[in-house]
Structures are given as structure tokens and as C-alpha cells.
Amino acid sequence: DAGVIQSPRHEVTEMGQEVTLRCKPISGHDYLFWYRQTMMRGLELLIYFNNNVPIDDSGMPEDRFSAKMPNASFSTLKIQPSEPRDSAVYFCASSAGRSYEQYFGPGTRLTVT
Amino acid sequence: AQTVTQSQPEMSVQEAETVTLSCTYDTSESDYYLFWYKQPPSRQMILVIRQEAYKQQNATENRFSVNFQKAAKSFSLKISDSQLGDAAMYFCVTNNAGNMLTFGGGTRLMVKP
């Protein structure tokens, strides 16, 4: 099993640019989560999907952030326009129904200059 | 709302010795799970152990075991025969019925050779 796959692993961009982070969950998992981790705020849940449908996006910071899950094997998190305060590590995680364990991807380290 | 508190920002242990990481939580859920996740310098979030709240027996996973005190809402992690590879940030985590995780602030464990 390849686990949760995220790309890119590192992203450096300039303020104002669009950033797209990608995630492939573990096959068969029906929940997908996007998290952001910073030193100041720790790990924050941004949004999660169940069967490709967004269930709770209350953690999305503002309208600059959007997430999609067009099918069971792919999700994107987009930031447009990006700002320096968006610099963080972004994790994608997936879980299989009510099993409750979430399996995390390796994360994407985003730096906005 | 759920809260998870880890009162030890940092801990250190001598290689081969035993260390216990503390965690208290608060939840209004009647059915929930508790987890310990490990995040080494590689930043990969790794599930260490899980405990179902309805089970009285403490979970054990090789050198890792928990002391689950449901009435006290306490969930400590014991690492026996500590190894250099155990050095990491450890997060105490609980979930809710919606499968959303709540993370504690983390405890950084250092292992001395």
C-alpha cells in the first residue's frame, strides 16, 4: 500500500501567486482531511470530505482557500492569491469510514515570500 | 467542544529507559477514540497507538502502552526500552462522532544515547 500521497513536497512561491496542493488518499478510504501545521497554531483542520462531498469547511481561513475532491482518488487545496502568512506545512489524511484512525501523507511545506 | 492538554512541552529519556508522556482531555462524546501520533523530524505523522473509550483494557503496541483513566479523562503514553528512533514530537489526539480529530499541543521527546 502506497499510503497517502501528496505533491509537491515543497513549494516556494511569491505573494499573490496561485498555489495548488494535491492529495491521493489510500484506496478504499472514504474520508479525506486537509490540515495545516504551524509553530504558532499547531495542527488545524481546514476541511474534510466524506465520499467526495465537503462536510465541514469551517476551518478554511478565508475565501482565498478552496478545496475540491472530484473523485475518490484525488483532492486539491488551492490558495489564490497566496500570502506570506499562508506559509506552513499542509497535510492530507484519509480514513476508512468509522475506523477513526487517520493516515497522514508526508505533507507539503509551503513557503510564500 | 473537545480539548486535549499535554502539560509537558518537552521530555527527555535515556536510551533503554522508560518514559511516560501525560495527556488529559475533555469531551462530551459518549463514544470516542483516543490516539497517540508521533511526528519525527521527517514531519511524517505516524499513528502509534489507539484506544477505544468503551474498552477498559489499556492498549499495548510492542514497547508502547497507554494508561487510560476514563473517569479522570487521562490518557498517558508509556514508552519502554526507549530507542534513539523514538525521538519525535508526540501528539495526544481524540476524535468526535464526525470523525474529526482534536490534537493536543504536543510533547517533544528527546532520547539521550
Side-chain angles (χ1 to χ4, degrees):
Chain A
D1 192 339
V4 176
I5 299 172
Q6 289 186 248
S7 65
R9 293 294 304 276
H10 303 272
E11 177 79 37
V12 180
T13 190
E14 292 184 348
M15 184 173 63
Q17 297 297 307
E18 177 180 296
V19 175
T20 299
L21 311 181
R22 297 172 177 80
C23 174
K24 177 179 170 56
I26 293 172
S27 177
H29 283 190
D30 55 351
Y31 282 82
L32 184 140
F33 304 80
W34 282 101
Y35 293 89
R36 178 173 67 177
Q37 186 178 36
T38 62
M39 288 293 292
M40 292 297 295
R41 300 173 69 92
L43 205 64
E44 304 172 278
L45 176 66
L46 300 177
I47 185 172
Y48 80 96
F49 297 82
N50 178 217
N51 291 322
N52 313 336
V53 176
I55 302 301
D56 189 329
D57 65 353
S58 59
M60 296 286 261
E62 48 198 271
D63 293 344
R64 297 185 298 106
F65 285 68
S66 62
K68 294 181 180 179
M69 192 166 186
N71 57 62
S73 59
F74 184 66
S75 176
T76 60
L77 178 68
K78 184 177 294 185
I79 308 172
Q80 167 64 21
S82 58
E83 296 182 3
R85 60 193 169 120
D86 301 330
S87 297
V89 179
Y90 291 81
F91 287 99
C92 175
S94 70
S95 71
R98 303 298 279 181
S99 69
Y100 297 108
E101 295 112 73
Q102 293 183 19
Y103 295 88
F104 285 74
T108 295
R109 181 176 293 280
L110 173 65
T111 303
V112 183
T113 60
Chain B
Q2 296 176 305
T3 59
V4 179
T5 303
Q6 294 179 248
S7 59
Q8 306 152 317
E10 283 189 359
M11 293 281 286
S12 66
V13 62
Q14 203 71 35
E15 194 176 6
E17 296 295 310
T18 296
V19 65
T20 299
L21 308 184
S22 302
C23 172
T24 57
Y25 64 94
D26 193 15
T27 180
S28 58
E29 303 284 341
S30 58
D31 180 20
Y32 56 94
Y33 287 70
L34 294 158
F35 309 92
W36 280 95
Y37 278 85
K38 164 186 175 180
Q39 188 176 35
S42 67
R43 78 170 180 253
Q44 178 76 50
M45 197 73 74
I46 302 165
L47 178 66
V48 174
I49 197 166
R50 78 172 214 174
Q51 173 80 42
E52 292 94 333
Y54 64 87
K55 287 188 177 179
Q56 293 186 340
Q57 186 174 7
N58 289 325
T60 298
E61 199 70 43
N62 299 316
R63 297 182 296 107
F64 299 86
S65 61
V66 299
N67 183 5
F68 174 47
Q69 301 290 327
K70 189 172 183 179
K73 294 184 177 176
S74 169
F75 183 61
S76 61
L77 175 70
K78 185 171 82 171
I79 306 174
S80 303
D81 185 25
S82 297
Q83 301 176 0
L84 295 178
D86 295 334
M89 183 74 86
Y90 285 81
F91 293 97
C92 179
V93 184
T94 185
N95 77 318
N96 68 10
N99 215 18
M100 295 170 62
L101 301 183
T102 300
F103 284 75
T107 296
R108 183 172 300 282
L109 178 66
M110 294 172 285
V111 181
K112 300 177 181 178

